[in-house]
mmCIF file of all heavy atoms in Angstrom:
data_model
loop_
_atom_site.group_PDB
_atom_site.id
_atom_site.type_symbol
_atom_site.label_atom_id
_atom_site.label_comp_id
_atom_site.label_asym_id
_atom_site.label_seq_id
_atom_site.Cartn_x
_atom_site.Cartn_y
_atom_site.Cartn_z
ATOM 1 N N MET A 51 -78.481 10.998 62.775
ATOM 2 C CA MET A 51 -79.036 9.745 63.200
ATOM 3 C C MET A 51 -80.271 9.979 64.075
ATOM 4 O O MET A 51 -81.218 9.205 64.004
ATOM 5 C CB MET A 51 -77.982 8.968 63.967
ATOM 6 C CG MET A 51 -78.189 7.507 63.981
ATOM 7 S SD MET A 51 -76.692 6.703 64.520
ATOM 8 C CE MET A 51 -77.124 5.054 64.153
ATOM 9 N N ILE A 52 -80.216 11.026 64.857
ATOM 10 C CA ILE A 52 -81.372 11.357 65.682
ATOM 11 C C ILE A 52 -82.547 11.754 64.795
ATOM 12 O O ILE A 52 -83.686 11.327 65.028
ATOM 13 C CB ILE A 52 -81.032 12.484 66.668
ATOM 14 C CG1 ILE A 52 -79.947 12.030 67.639
ATOM 15 C CG2 ILE A 52 -82.264 12.931 67.434
ATOM 16 C CD1 ILE A 52 -79.395 13.127 68.503
ATOM 17 N N VAL A 53 -82.268 12.525 63.757
ATOM 18 C CA VAL A 53 -83.327 12.966 62.841
ATOM 19 C C VAL A 53 -83.941 11.763 62.124
ATOM 20 O O VAL A 53 -85.165 11.670 61.982
ATOM 21 C CB VAL A 53 -82.774 13.992 61.837
ATOM 22 C CG1 VAL A 53 -83.799 14.334 60.789
ATOM 23 C CG2 VAL A 53 -82.297 15.229 62.558
ATOM 24 N N LEU A 54 -83.110 10.830 61.689
ATOM 25 C CA LEU A 54 -83.618 9.621 61.036
ATOM 26 C C LEU A 54 -84.520 8.837 61.982
ATOM 27 O O LEU A 54 -85.582 8.345 61.581
ATOM 28 C CB LEU A 54 -82.456 8.743 60.559
ATOM 29 C CG LEU A 54 -82.843 7.403 59.942
ATOM 30 C CD1 LEU A 54 -83.635 7.614 58.661
ATOM 31 C CD2 LEU A 54 -81.608 6.567 59.693
ATOM 32 N N GLY A 55 -84.122 8.723 63.237
ATOM 33 C CA GLY A 55 -84.940 8.020 64.220
ATOM 34 C C GLY A 55 -86.281 8.682 64.434
ATOM 35 O O GLY A 55 -87.321 8.012 64.516
ATOM 36 N N VAL A 56 -86.279 10.010 64.510
ATOM 37 C CA VAL A 56 -87.538 10.737 64.702
ATOM 38 C C VAL A 56 -88.433 10.592 63.477
ATOM 39 O O VAL A 56 -89.650 10.411 63.604
ATOM 40 C CB VAL A 56 -87.255 12.220 65.031
ATOM 41 C CG1 VAL A 56 -88.528 13.034 65.016
ATOM 42 C CG2 VAL A 56 -86.550 12.337 66.367
ATOM 43 N N VAL A 57 -87.843 10.653 62.276
ATOM 44 C CA VAL A 57 -88.630 10.486 61.050
ATOM 45 C C VAL A 57 -89.252 9.096 61.009
ATOM 46 O O VAL A 57 -90.452 8.946 60.709
ATOM 47 C CB VAL A 57 -87.759 10.749 59.802
ATOM 48 C CG1 VAL A 57 -88.461 10.302 58.537
ATOM 49 C CG2 VAL A 57 -87.383 12.211 59.712
ATOM 50 N N LEU A 58 -88.475 8.071 61.313
ATOM 51 C CA LEU A 58 -89.023 6.708 61.331
ATOM 52 C C LEU A 58 -90.119 6.574 62.383
ATOM 53 O O LEU A 58 -91.129 5.906 62.150
ATOM 54 C CB LEU A 58 -87.907 5.696 61.604
ATOM 55 C CG LEU A 58 -86.929 5.443 60.476
ATOM 56 C CD1 LEU A 58 -85.806 4.533 60.950
ATOM 57 C CD2 LEU A 58 -87.631 4.834 59.278
ATOM 58 N N LEU A 59 -89.923 7.217 63.517
ATOM 59 C CA LEU A 59 -90.925 7.168 64.577
ATOM 60 C C LEU A 59 -92.234 7.806 64.131
ATOM 61 O O LEU A 59 -93.310 7.227 64.305
ATOM 62 C CB LEU A 59 -90.378 7.875 65.818
ATOM 63 C CG LEU A 59 -91.261 7.916 67.047
ATOM 64 C CD1 LEU A 59 -91.446 6.518 67.604
ATOM 65 C CD2 LEU A 59 -90.645 8.817 68.084
ATOM 66 N N VAL A 60 -92.151 8.966 63.515
ATOM 67 C CA VAL A 60 -93.357 9.666 63.059
ATOM 68 C C VAL A 60 -94.058 8.882 61.954
ATOM 69 O O VAL A 60 -95.280 8.711 61.976
ATOM 70 C CB VAL A 60 -93.009 11.099 62.598
ATOM 71 C CG1 VAL A 60 -94.171 11.746 61.882
ATOM 72 C CG2 VAL A 60 -92.554 11.937 63.779
ATOM 73 N N VAL A 61 -93.284 8.385 60.987
ATOM 74 C CA VAL A 61 -93.885 7.607 59.899
ATOM 75 C C VAL A 61 -94.548 6.350 60.454
ATOM 76 O O VAL A 61 -95.644 5.963 60.033
ATOM 77 C CB VAL A 61 -92.825 7.255 58.827
ATOM 78 C CG1 VAL A 61 -93.355 6.243 57.833
ATOM 79 C CG2 VAL A 61 -92.364 8.513 58.119
ATOM 80 N N GLY A 62 -93.883 5.700 61.410
ATOM 81 C CA GLY A 62 -94.467 4.507 62.027
ATOM 82 C C GLY A 62 -95.750 4.798 62.770
ATOM 83 O O GLY A 62 -96.689 4.008 62.737
ATOM 84 N N LEU A 63 -95.793 5.949 63.452
ATOM 85 C CA LEU A 63 -97.020 6.301 64.175
ATOM 86 C C LEU A 63 -98.145 6.671 63.224
ATOM 87 O O LEU A 63 -99.304 6.286 63.443
ATOM 88 C CB LEU A 63 -96.742 7.461 65.131
ATOM 89 C CG LEU A 63 -95.898 7.123 66.360
ATOM 90 C CD1 LEU A 63 -95.559 8.392 67.128
ATOM 91 C CD2 LEU A 63 -96.616 6.132 67.247
ATOM 92 N N VAL A 64 -97.823 7.413 62.156
ATOM 93 C CA VAL A 64 -98.857 7.827 61.197
ATOM 94 C C VAL A 64 -99.393 6.623 60.436
ATOM 95 O O VAL A 64 -100.602 6.486 60.235
ATOM 96 C CB VAL A 64 -98.293 8.897 60.235
ATOM 97 C CG1 VAL A 64 -99.247 9.149 59.081
ATOM 98 C CG2 VAL A 64 -98.005 10.182 60.989
ATOM 99 N N ALA A 65 -98.498 5.732 60.017
ATOM 100 C CA ALA A 65 -98.905 4.570 59.232
ATOM 101 C C ALA A 65 -99.332 3.393 60.105
ATOM 102 O O ALA A 65 -99.730 2.354 59.589
ATOM 103 C CB ALA A 65 -97.765 4.135 58.314
ATOM 104 N N ASN A 66 -99.216 3.567 61.435
ATOM 105 C CA ASN A 66 -99.589 2.510 62.377
ATOM 106 C C ASN A 66 -98.795 1.224 62.138
ATOM 107 O O ASN A 66 -99.352 0.135 62.099
ATOM 108 C CB ASN A 66 -101.098 2.249 62.328
ATOM 109 C CG ASN A 66 -101.575 1.548 63.579
ATOM 110 O OD1 ASN A 66 -100.870 1.519 64.579
ATOM 111 N ND2 ASN A 66 -102.765 0.988 63.512
ATOM 112 N N ILE A 67 -97.479 1.377 62.000
ATOM 113 C CA ILE A 67 -96.575 0.242 61.798
ATOM 114 C C ILE A 67 -95.665 0.168 63.018
ATOM 115 O O ILE A 67 -94.777 1.006 63.204
ATOM 116 C CB ILE A 67 -95.746 0.401 60.508
ATOM 117 C CG1 ILE A 67 -96.662 0.521 59.305
ATOM 118 C CG2 ILE A 67 -94.794 -0.769 60.343
ATOM 119 C CD1 ILE A 67 -95.945 0.849 58.012
ATOM 120 N N GLY A 68 -95.884 -0.827 63.839
ATOM 121 C CA GLY A 68 -95.152 -0.961 65.091
ATOM 122 C C GLY A 68 -93.662 -1.175 64.916
ATOM 123 O O GLY A 68 -92.860 -0.704 65.726
ATOM 124 N N LEU A 69 -93.273 -1.870 63.858
ATOM 125 C CA LEU A 69 -91.852 -2.138 63.624
ATOM 126 C C LEU A 69 -91.085 -0.842 63.363
ATOM 127 O O LEU A 69 -89.982 -0.649 63.879
ATOM 128 C CB LEU A 69 -91.687 -3.104 62.448
ATOM 129 C CG LEU A 69 -90.262 -3.519 62.116
ATOM 130 C CD1 LEU A 69 -89.645 -4.277 63.278
ATOM 131 C CD2 LEU A 69 -90.235 -4.347 60.867
ATOM 132 N N LEU A 70 -91.668 0.059 62.591
ATOM 133 C CA LEU A 70 -91.007 1.340 62.318
ATOM 134 C C LEU A 70 -90.894 2.189 63.580
ATOM 135 O O LEU A 70 -89.898 2.893 63.768
ATOM 136 C CB LEU A 70 -91.765 2.119 61.249
ATOM 137 C CG LEU A 70 -91.500 1.744 59.802
ATOM 138 C CD1 LEU A 70 -92.281 2.665 58.879
ATOM 139 C CD2 LEU A 70 -90.040 1.805 59.473
ATOM 140 N N VAL A 71 -91.891 2.125 64.429
ATOM 141 C CA VAL A 71 -91.839 2.871 65.690
ATOM 142 C C VAL A 71 -90.687 2.345 66.538
ATOM 143 O O VAL A 71 -89.896 3.117 67.077
ATOM 144 C CB VAL A 71 -93.178 2.767 66.449
ATOM 145 C CG1 VAL A 71 -93.070 3.379 67.835
ATOM 146 C CG2 VAL A 71 -94.288 3.414 65.652
ATOM 147 N N THR A 72 -90.570 1.032 66.632
ATOM 148 C CA THR A 72 -89.504 0.423 67.426
ATOM 149 C C THR A 72 -88.134 0.774 66.873
ATOM 150 O O THR A 72 -87.238 1.171 67.625
ATOM 151 C CB THR A 72 -89.679 -1.106 67.455
ATOM 152 O OG1 THR A 72 -90.978 -1.418 67.947
ATOM 153 C CG2 THR A 72 -88.624 -1.755 68.328
ATOM 154 N N ILE A 73 -87.961 0.647 65.573
ATOM 155 C CA ILE A 73 -86.684 0.975 64.949
ATOM 156 C C ILE A 73 -86.378 2.461 65.118
ATOM 157 O O ILE A 73 -85.233 2.841 65.382
ATOM 158 C CB ILE A 73 -86.689 0.563 63.462
ATOM 159 C CG1 ILE A 73 -86.742 -0.948 63.336
ATOM 160 C CG2 ILE A 73 -85.471 1.111 62.742
ATOM 161 C CD1 ILE A 73 -86.944 -1.449 61.928
ATOM 162 N N GLY A 74 -87.366 3.306 64.978
ATOM 163 C CA GLY A 74 -87.178 4.740 65.152
ATOM 164 C C GLY A 74 -86.703 5.107 66.547
ATOM 165 O O GLY A 74 -85.794 5.929 66.708
ATOM 166 N N VAL A 75 -87.295 4.491 67.555
ATOM 167 C CA VAL A 75 -86.871 4.757 68.932
ATOM 168 C C VAL A 75 -85.434 4.294 69.149
ATOM 169 O O VAL A 75 -84.619 5.013 69.738
ATOM 170 C CB VAL A 75 -87.832 4.069 69.929
ATOM 171 C CG1 VAL A 75 -87.266 4.099 71.338
ATOM 172 C CG2 VAL A 75 -89.193 4.717 69.887
ATOM 173 N N ILE A 76 -85.108 3.109 68.659
ATOM 174 C CA ILE A 76 -83.754 2.572 68.831
ATOM 175 C C ILE A 76 -82.727 3.461 68.148
ATOM 176 O O ILE A 76 -81.691 3.796 68.730
ATOM 177 C CB ILE A 76 -83.685 1.118 68.309
ATOM 178 C CG1 ILE A 76 -84.497 0.210 69.217
ATOM 179 C CG2 ILE A 76 -82.242 0.646 68.220
ATOM 180 C CD1 ILE A 76 -84.701 -1.187 68.672
ATOM 181 N N VAL A 77 -82.999 3.866 66.915
ATOM 182 C CA VAL A 77 -82.051 4.708 66.174
ATOM 183 C C VAL A 77 -81.904 6.072 66.841
ATOM 184 O O VAL A 77 -80.790 6.601 66.941
ATOM 185 C CB VAL A 77 -82.497 4.846 64.702
ATOM 186 C CG1 VAL A 77 -81.695 5.895 63.971
ATOM 187 C CG2 VAL A 77 -82.373 3.509 63.991
ATOM 188 N N ALA A 78 -82.997 6.641 67.335
ATOM 189 C CA ALA A 78 -82.919 7.944 68.002
ATOM 190 C C ALA A 78 -82.106 7.856 69.293
ATOM 191 O O ALA A 78 -81.300 8.741 69.586
ATOM 192 C CB ALA A 78 -84.320 8.472 68.290
ATOM 193 N N VAL A 79 -82.282 6.792 70.055
ATOM 194 C CA VAL A 79 -81.527 6.624 71.302
ATOM 195 C C VAL A 79 -80.050 6.429 71.004
ATOM 196 O O VAL A 79 -79.186 7.027 71.665
ATOM 197 C CB VAL A 79 -82.094 5.449 72.128
ATOM 198 C CG1 VAL A 79 -81.165 5.067 73.265
ATOM 199 C CG2 VAL A 79 -83.464 5.808 72.669
ATOM 200 N N ILE A 80 -79.720 5.616 70.014
ATOM 201 C CA ILE A 80 -78.313 5.408 69.645
ATOM 202 C C ILE A 80 -77.694 6.728 69.183
ATOM 203 O O ILE A 80 -76.564 7.056 69.544
ATOM 204 C CB ILE A 80 -78.183 4.315 68.569
ATOM 205 C CG1 ILE A 80 -78.527 2.960 69.162
ATOM 206 C CG2 ILE A 80 -76.785 4.299 67.967
ATOM 207 C CD1 ILE A 80 -78.602 1.842 68.146
ATOM 208 N N GLY A 81 -78.412 7.491 68.390
ATOM 209 C CA GLY A 81 -77.920 8.781 67.942
ATOM 210 C C GLY A 81 -77.687 9.742 69.095
ATOM 211 O O GLY A 81 -76.700 10.476 69.121
ATOM 212 N N ALA A 82 -78.588 9.732 70.069
ATOM 213 C CA ALA A 82 -78.426 10.603 71.233
ATOM 214 C C ALA A 82 -77.210 10.203 72.065
ATOM 215 O O ALA A 82 -76.450 11.058 72.519
ATOM 216 C CB ALA A 82 -79.686 10.570 72.089
ATOM 217 N N VAL A 83 -77.003 8.912 72.241
ATOM 218 C CA VAL A 83 -75.843 8.433 72.999
ATOM 219 C C VAL A 83 -74.549 8.786 72.282
ATOM 220 O O VAL A 83 -73.597 9.271 72.899
ATOM 221 C CB VAL A 83 -75.952 6.909 73.245
ATOM 222 C CG1 VAL A 83 -74.646 6.341 73.765
ATOM 223 C CG2 VAL A 83 -77.080 6.611 74.209
ATOM 224 N N LEU A 84 -74.501 8.569 70.980
ATOM 225 C CA LEU A 84 -73.296 8.913 70.224
ATOM 226 C C LEU A 84 -73.058 10.419 70.229
ATOM 227 O O LEU A 84 -71.910 10.872 70.348
ATOM 228 C CB LEU A 84 -73.411 8.404 68.781
ATOM 229 C CG LEU A 84 -73.330 6.899 68.593
ATOM 230 C CD1 LEU A 84 -73.576 6.537 67.137
ATOM 231 C CD2 LEU A 84 -72.006 6.351 69.069
ATOM 232 N N GLY A 85 -74.098 11.188 70.126
ATOM 233 C CA GLY A 85 -73.957 12.639 70.196
ATOM 234 C C GLY A 85 -73.460 13.100 71.556
ATOM 235 O O GLY A 85 -72.632 14.009 71.649
ATOM 236 N N LEU A 86 -73.946 12.477 72.611
ATOM 237 C CA LEU A 86 -73.503 12.812 73.960
ATOM 238 C C LEU A 86 -72.033 12.461 74.151
ATOM 239 O O LEU A 86 -71.267 13.252 74.701
ATOM 240 C CB LEU A 86 -74.361 12.080 74.985
ATOM 241 C CG LEU A 86 -74.037 12.337 76.449
ATOM 242 C CD1 LEU A 86 -74.348 13.787 76.789
ATOM 243 C CD2 LEU A 86 -74.815 11.408 77.332
ATOM 244 N N PHE A 87 -71.625 11.285 73.703
ATOM 245 C CA PHE A 87 -70.215 10.894 73.805
ATOM 246 C C PHE A 87 -69.323 11.854 73.028
ATOM 247 O O PHE A 87 -68.255 12.232 73.495
ATOM 248 C CB PHE A 87 -70.000 9.480 73.298
ATOM 249 C CG PHE A 87 -70.365 8.398 74.281
ATOM 250 C CD1 PHE A 87 -70.502 7.091 73.870
ATOM 251 C CD2 PHE A 87 -70.594 8.693 75.616
ATOM 252 C CE1 PHE A 87 -70.827 6.086 74.763
ATOM 253 C CE2 PHE A 87 -70.932 7.700 76.516
ATOM 254 C CZ PHE A 87 -71.052 6.391 76.090
ATOM 255 N N GLY A 88 -69.773 12.246 71.857
ATOM 256 C CA GLY A 88 -68.993 13.177 71.054
ATOM 257 C C GLY A 88 -68.910 14.550 71.686
ATOM 258 O O GLY A 88 -67.888 15.231 71.598
ATOM 259 N N ALA A 89 -69.973 14.967 72.361
ATOM 260 C CA ALA A 89 -69.989 16.290 72.981
ATOM 261 C C ALA A 89 -69.046 16.385 74.172
ATOM 262 O O ALA A 89 -68.488 17.442 74.438
ATOM 263 C CB ALA A 89 -71.411 16.636 73.421
ATOM 264 N N VAL A 90 -68.844 15.284 74.880
ATOM 265 C CA VAL A 90 -67.958 15.316 76.045
ATOM 266 C C VAL A 90 -66.515 15.020 75.662
ATOM 267 O O VAL A 90 -65.645 15.004 76.519
ATOM 268 C CB VAL A 90 -68.424 14.343 77.153
ATOM 269 C CG1 VAL A 90 -69.774 14.761 77.687
ATOM 270 C CG2 VAL A 90 -68.418 12.919 76.694
ATOM 271 N N GLY A 91 -66.260 14.781 74.376
ATOM 272 C CA GLY A 91 -64.891 14.576 73.908
ATOM 273 C C GLY A 91 -64.418 13.143 73.940
ATOM 274 O O GLY A 91 -63.254 12.866 73.691
ATOM 275 N N ARG A 92 -65.300 12.221 74.237
ATOM 276 C CA ARG A 92 -64.910 10.811 74.266
ATOM 277 C C ARG A 92 -64.891 10.285 72.832
ATOM 278 O O ARG A 92 -65.856 10.450 72.096
ATOM 279 C CB ARG A 92 -65.911 10.025 75.099
ATOM 280 C CG ARG A 92 -65.597 8.568 75.200
ATOM 281 C CD ARG A 92 -66.597 7.873 76.119
ATOM 282 N NE ARG A 92 -66.394 6.444 76.116
ATOM 283 C CZ ARG A 92 -65.604 5.831 76.968
ATOM 284 N NH1 ARG A 92 -64.965 6.510 77.881
ATOM 285 N NH2 ARG A 92 -65.469 4.523 76.920
ATOM 286 N N PRO A 93 -63.790 9.645 72.415
ATOM 287 C CA PRO A 93 -63.743 9.107 71.055
ATOM 288 C C PRO A 93 -64.776 7.988 70.850
ATOM 289 O O PRO A 93 -64.918 7.107 71.702
ATOM 290 C CB PRO A 93 -62.331 8.566 70.910
ATOM 291 C CG PRO A 93 -61.622 8.786 72.180
ATOM 292 C CD PRO A 93 -62.559 9.436 73.145
ATOM 293 N N VAL A 94 -65.469 8.032 69.741
ATOM 294 C CA VAL A 94 -66.474 7.013 69.411
ATOM 295 C C VAL A 94 -66.062 6.365 68.104
ATOM 296 O O VAL A 94 -66.022 7.023 67.066
ATOM 297 C CB VAL A 94 -67.881 7.640 69.283
ATOM 298 C CG1 VAL A 94 -68.885 6.595 68.873
ATOM 299 C CG2 VAL A 94 -68.299 8.310 70.564
ATOM 300 N N GLY A 95 -65.724 5.099 68.141
ATOM 301 C CA GLY A 95 -65.341 4.386 66.927
ATOM 302 C C GLY A 95 -64.111 4.976 66.252
ATOM 303 O O GLY A 95 -64.023 4.993 65.034
ATOM 304 N N GLY A 96 -63.181 5.477 67.039
ATOM 305 C CA GLY A 96 -61.964 6.041 66.482
ATOM 306 C C GLY A 96 -62.088 7.495 66.056
ATOM 307 O O GLY A 96 -61.118 8.089 65.601
ATOM 308 N N ARG A 97 -63.249 8.080 66.223
ATOM 309 C CA ARG A 97 -63.456 9.488 65.854
ATOM 310 C C ARG A 97 -63.531 10.326 67.115
ATOM 311 O O ARG A 97 -64.157 9.933 68.092
ATOM 312 C CB ARG A 97 -64.756 9.635 65.062
ATOM 313 C CG ARG A 97 -64.705 8.902 63.730
ATOM 314 C CD ARG A 97 -65.982 9.034 62.991
ATOM 315 N NE ARG A 97 -66.179 10.437 62.636
ATOM 316 C CZ ARG A 97 -67.219 10.863 61.964
ATOM 317 N NH1 ARG A 97 -68.160 10.022 61.630
ATOM 318 N NH2 ARG A 97 -67.348 12.119 61.672
ATOM 319 N N ARG A 98 -62.927 11.472 67.099
ATOM 320 C CA ARG A 98 -62.905 12.334 68.273
ATOM 321 C C ARG A 98 -64.275 12.961 68.534
ATOM 322 O O ARG A 98 -64.671 13.189 69.661
ATOM 323 C CB ARG A 98 -61.844 13.406 68.075
ATOM 324 C CG ARG A 98 -61.681 14.328 69.247
ATOM 325 C CD ARG A 98 -61.565 13.584 70.530
ATOM 326 N NE ARG A 98 -60.212 13.539 71.026
ATOM 327 C CZ ARG A 98 -59.899 12.962 72.159
ATOM 328 N NH1 ARG A 98 -60.816 12.373 72.862
ATOM 329 N NH2 ARG A 98 -58.673 12.930 72.565
ATOM 330 N N PHE A 99 -65.039 13.269 67.481
ATOM 331 C CA PHE A 99 -66.373 13.819 67.671
ATOM 332 C C PHE A 99 -67.318 13.241 66.642
ATOM 333 O O PHE A 99 -66.905 12.776 65.597
ATOM 334 C CB PHE A 99 -66.401 15.354 67.638
ATOM 335 C CG PHE A 99 -65.473 15.973 66.663
ATOM 336 C CD1 PHE A 99 -65.878 16.224 65.383
ATOM 337 C CD2 PHE A 99 -64.163 16.291 67.012
ATOM 338 C CE1 PHE A 99 -65.028 16.797 64.468
ATOM 339 C CE2 PHE A 99 -63.308 16.859 66.112
ATOM 340 C CZ PHE A 99 -63.736 17.113 64.820
ATOM 341 N N TYR A 100 -68.585 13.246 66.978
ATOM 342 C CA TYR A 100 -69.627 12.635 66.153
ATOM 343 C C TYR A 100 -70.733 13.650 65.943
ATOM 344 O O TYR A 100 -71.209 14.260 66.885
ATOM 345 C CB TYR A 100 -70.189 11.401 66.862
ATOM 346 C CG TYR A 100 -71.240 10.685 66.063
ATOM 347 C CD1 TYR A 100 -70.873 9.771 65.089
ATOM 348 C CD2 TYR A 100 -72.579 10.939 66.254
ATOM 349 C CE1 TYR A 100 -71.827 9.122 64.351
ATOM 350 C CE2 TYR A 100 -73.526 10.291 65.500
ATOM 351 C CZ TYR A 100 -73.144 9.394 64.551
ATOM 352 O OH TYR A 100 -74.099 8.765 63.821
ATOM 353 N N TRP A 101 -71.107 13.864 64.692
ATOM 354 C CA TRP A 101 -72.211 14.814 64.410
ATOM 355 C C TRP A 101 -73.472 14.066 64.192
ATOM 356 O O TRP A 101 -73.734 13.420 63.273
ATOM 357 C CB TRP A 101 -71.879 15.669 63.180
ATOM 358 C CG TRP A 101 -70.828 16.654 63.458
ATOM 359 C CD1 TRP A 101 -70.959 17.793 64.191
ATOM 360 C CD2 TRP A 101 -69.477 16.634 63.019
ATOM 361 N NE1 TRP A 101 -69.795 18.477 64.234
ATOM 362 C CE2 TRP A 101 -68.860 17.778 63.516
ATOM 363 C CE3 TRP A 101 -68.718 15.764 62.270
ATOM 364 C CZ2 TRP A 101 -67.540 18.074 63.290
ATOM 365 C CZ3 TRP A 101 -67.416 16.057 62.049
ATOM 366 C CH2 TRP A 101 -66.833 17.212 62.554
#
């Protein structure tokens, strides 16, 4: 999810599309939060770890 966010961010910056940049940042932040929760062992959505 973090990789998808970064890809959307880069494509949005290269193509100068503000909506893609915004979506890319949001997806990357959500991916980072889910990854952090999974790394500390906190269950996320019923799963013990999140990749």
Side-chain angles (χ1 to χ4, degrees):
M51 204 165 190
I52 297 171
V53 173
L54 176 64
V56 171
V57 168
L58 287 174
L59 181 67
V60 169
V61 169
L63 288 173
V64 169
N66 200 16
I67 301 173
L69 182 63
L70 278 183
V71 172
T72 304
I73 293 172
V75 169
I76 291 170
V77 170
V79 168
I80 291 173
V83 168
L84 289 175
L86 181 66
F87 280 166
V90 296
R92 180 177 174 91
V94 177
R97 296 179 65 179
R98 182 48 104 178
F99 37 90
Y100 182 83
W101 288 286

